[in-house]
Amino acid sequence: MTARDPLHAADPDGAQAFGVYIHWPFCLSKCPYCDFNSHVRREAIDEPRFVKAFAAEIAATAARIPGRTVSTIFFGGGTPSLMQPATVAALIEGVAKAWRIAPDAEVTLEANPTSVEAGRFRGYRGAGVNRVSLGVQALDDRALTELGRMHSAREALDAVGVARAIFDRYSFDLIYARPAQTPGQWSQELRAALAEATDHVSLYQLTIEPETPFATLHAAGKLRPPDEDTARALYDVTQEICAAHGLPAYEVSNHARPGGECRHNLVYWRANEYAGIGPGAHGRLDIAGVRHATATEKRPEAWLARVETQGHGLIADEKLTLAERADEFLLMGLRLAEGIDPAHYERIAGRALDPERIAMLHQHGLVETSHSGRLRVTPPGFPVLDAVVADLAA
Ligand SMILES: C[S@@+](CC[C@H](N)C(=O)[O-])C[C@H]1O[C@@H](n2cnc3c(N)ncnc32)[C@H](O)[C@@H]1O
Ligand code: SF4
């Protein structure tokens, strides 16, 4: 076993979490707002061929970072719920051959909320998945059509019901700050959604991503997201309603009952180590005390060809300097309500955060220091998080 990186030692929960992200890059159709690495294919996907390639890439990654204990696995996409349960089982088996999987590992799969996909949930549970995350997006049929979704609100809620019956843990995503959405309408929709939630929801403000059909419509003046004040009001009611419901924000867009947080996403935000497997996946690997930022070929067929010829799909493998690593720690950690441990920052960066800048941000009420000495962004600070991080990282 290789020695673990001592910089990991200061996790708030004391654990050395290690996550495995597996990217399934296909969807049935492309939603006009989405810029994830997702592709639509007319022909059927050769899943056994992909399984072999995924297994090869997992093995190649494990050869670089052997001896880890996997605390979380996350199947993201694209639409992983298009995979056959046998494919998911084979991929989990590939992970188990490469590393030890902790007995209490969290294994999440992202699913689109259609009845066809919900029909596979039992199979996924049998394969070892213990949490699903559903892309509900809206509980309003008109909004769903405008978002280019292939399911109705009823169908999405039915899929949530199936998830609830099969999995102890599930989450769903909603997109808000949609064109013409008012705080009143959104409050009603959000309350209805929370009645269907148990321990976790992700609530994303609509982002106009460059080079998407929404960006074209936006540029042509045919799609108008809410103005800044309305967007702020929508954000504020989101925080109030979720907190009152017992699901406060633990991250900018993620809300959970305490203890119900997505452990896999915490791996990213707490700057722990993770392997990125599959087309366009990113990883952070600690090799001989140095953190490597990895990325794989994005195009599915090109990734497949690379893995089949060279055993992995890596196109980037960059050693991060301590300054880069410290910036990343700050950028990710301040997204969390729990904030960061400044002493951990100092251990990575080799220098402390600037006390004058912290004092200034304190004065403006944008950050606070907890009893245990953690530095965290305050509720008024979160809407201007980018500026707070830029100030501290400078
Ligand atoms: C990888 S996608 C979801 C998985 C699944 N394919 C689905 O659509 O149900 C993750 C989530 O990101 C959110 N998302 C994607 N593009 C977005 C955008 N432009 N603005 C806000 N949220 C977005 C959606 O809520 C989506 O469910
Ligand atoms: S939102 Fe989900 S279903 Fe739509 S294109 Fe993106 S990944 Fe695919």
Side-chain angles (χ1 to χ4, degrees):
M1 187 192 280
T2 53
R4 292 308 303 272
D5 184 343
L7 292 176
H8 270 133
D11 264 2
D13 57 3
Q16 295 195 348
F18 169 60
V20 178
Y21 175 80
I22 301 180
H23 190 80
W24 186 253
F26 301 110
C27 292
L28 284 185
S29 66
K30 185 82 191 174
C31 305
Y33 54 84
C34 176
D35 79 339
F36 281 82
N37 184 32
S38 62
H39 306 262
V40 179
R41 295 286 177 263
R42 254 191 269 168
E43 330 71 54
I45 307 301
D46 185 349
E47 293 192 31
R49 188 170 168 204
F50 270 93
V51 165
K52 269 195 203 146
F54 276 109
E57 191 162 73
I58 290 166
T61 309
R64 305 185 74 199
I65 50 161
R68 304 295 194 258
T69 296
V70 176
S71 33
T72 63
I73 302 176
F74 194 99
F75 292 96
T79 306
S81 53
L82 295 176
M83 278 188 276
Q84 293 304 320
T87 298
V88 174
L91 297 182
I92 295 175
E93 209 180 289
V95 174
K97 272 194 196 143
W99 297 288
R100 172 180 175 269
I101 300 182
D104 66 343
E106 174 190 273
V107 184
T108 305
L109 181 131
E110 273 183 349
N112 281 28
T114 73
S115 54
V116 177
E117 287 153 298
R120 288 193 274 264
F121 285 1
R122 205 166 287 285
Y124 294 141
R125 196 181 77 167
V129 171
N130 53 28
R131 183 174 182 275
V132 284
S133 173
L134 295 145
V136 169
Q137 318 307 6
L139 286 184
D140 175 300
D141 284 340
R142 217 177 117 183
L144 285 169
T145 306
E146 282 164 9
L147 289 169
R149 301 294 293 182
M150 296 173 80
H151 53 84
S152 64
R154 181 69 265 155
E155 200 176 5
L157 289 177
D158 288 347
V160 170
V162 177
R164 184 166 36 236
I166 294 179
F167 296 100
D168 289 339
R169 299 183 63 204
Y170 67 90
S171 176
F172 55 82
D173 302 343
L174 295 175
I175 297 179
Y176 73 101
R178 307 188 301 253
Q181 195 174 33
T182 67
Q185 287 165 345
W186 169 235
S187 301
Q188 225 178 351
E189 187 177 349
L190 180 57
R191 286 202 178 91
L194 291 175
E196 305 288 333
T198 51
D199 68 348
H200 195 285
V201 288
S202 302
L203 306 170
Y204 300 109
Q205 298 201 39
L206 176 65
T207 310
I208 305 298
E209 300 290 356
E211 286 167 43
T212 57
F214 266 26
T216 311
L217 288 173
H218 185 240
K222 292 181 182 159
L223 186 152
R224 287 205 187 87
D227 60 35
E228 213 173 295
D229 288 349
T230 312
R232 180 60 199 268
L234 289 162
Y235 172 83
D236 288 344
V237 297
T238 305
Q239 308 312 307
E240 277 162 33
I241 293 173
C242 287
H245 195 84
L247 274 79
Y250 68 97
E251 190 267 349
V252 176
S253 308
N254 286 276
H255 299 252
R257 231 169 265 296
E261 297 86 359
C262 172
R263 285 169 51 205
H264 183 81
N265 285 338
L266 285 177
V267 165
Y268 303 143
W269 297 319
R270 288 177 177 166
N272 291 139
E273 186 181 32
Y274 57 95
I277 308 293
H282 292 252
R284 292 289 181 274
L285 310 180
D286 295 330
I287 301 169
V290 177
R291 175 150 291 198
H292 290 236
T294 66
T296 53
E297 164 62 49
K298 279 176 91 171
R299 294 163 301 158
E301 290 75 18
W303 172 84
L304 205 52
R306 264 178 195 269
V307 179
E308 287 175 349
T309 52
Q310 64 184 32
H312 62 79
L314 283 184
I315 53 162
D317 181 15
E318 187 198 335
K319 288 183 182 175
L320 295 185
T321 64
L322 289 178
E324 286 169 336
R325 191 168 173 181
D327 280 350
E328 209 166 80
F329 172 75
L330 200 61
L331 187 77
M332 299 306 269
L334 288 180
R335 296 179 66 91
L336 289 170
E338 70 184 21
I340 59 145
D341 175 3
H344 191 187
Y345 176 89
E346 194 172 339
R347 275 196 295 280
I348 303 173
R351 64 174 175 93
L353 287 163
D354 182 348
E356 277 178 28
R357 283 177 192 266
I358 295 182
M360 183 76 88
L361 291 167
H362 263 283
Q363 238 172 35
H364 286 99
L366 299 175
V367 300
E368 62 191 8
T369 301
S370 74
H371 292 306
S372 58
R374 297 182 70 82
L375 180 69
R376 58 191 186 205
V377 175
T378 58
F382 269 107
V384 289
L385 178 64
D386 291 351
V388 173
V389 173
D391 204 21
L392 283 171

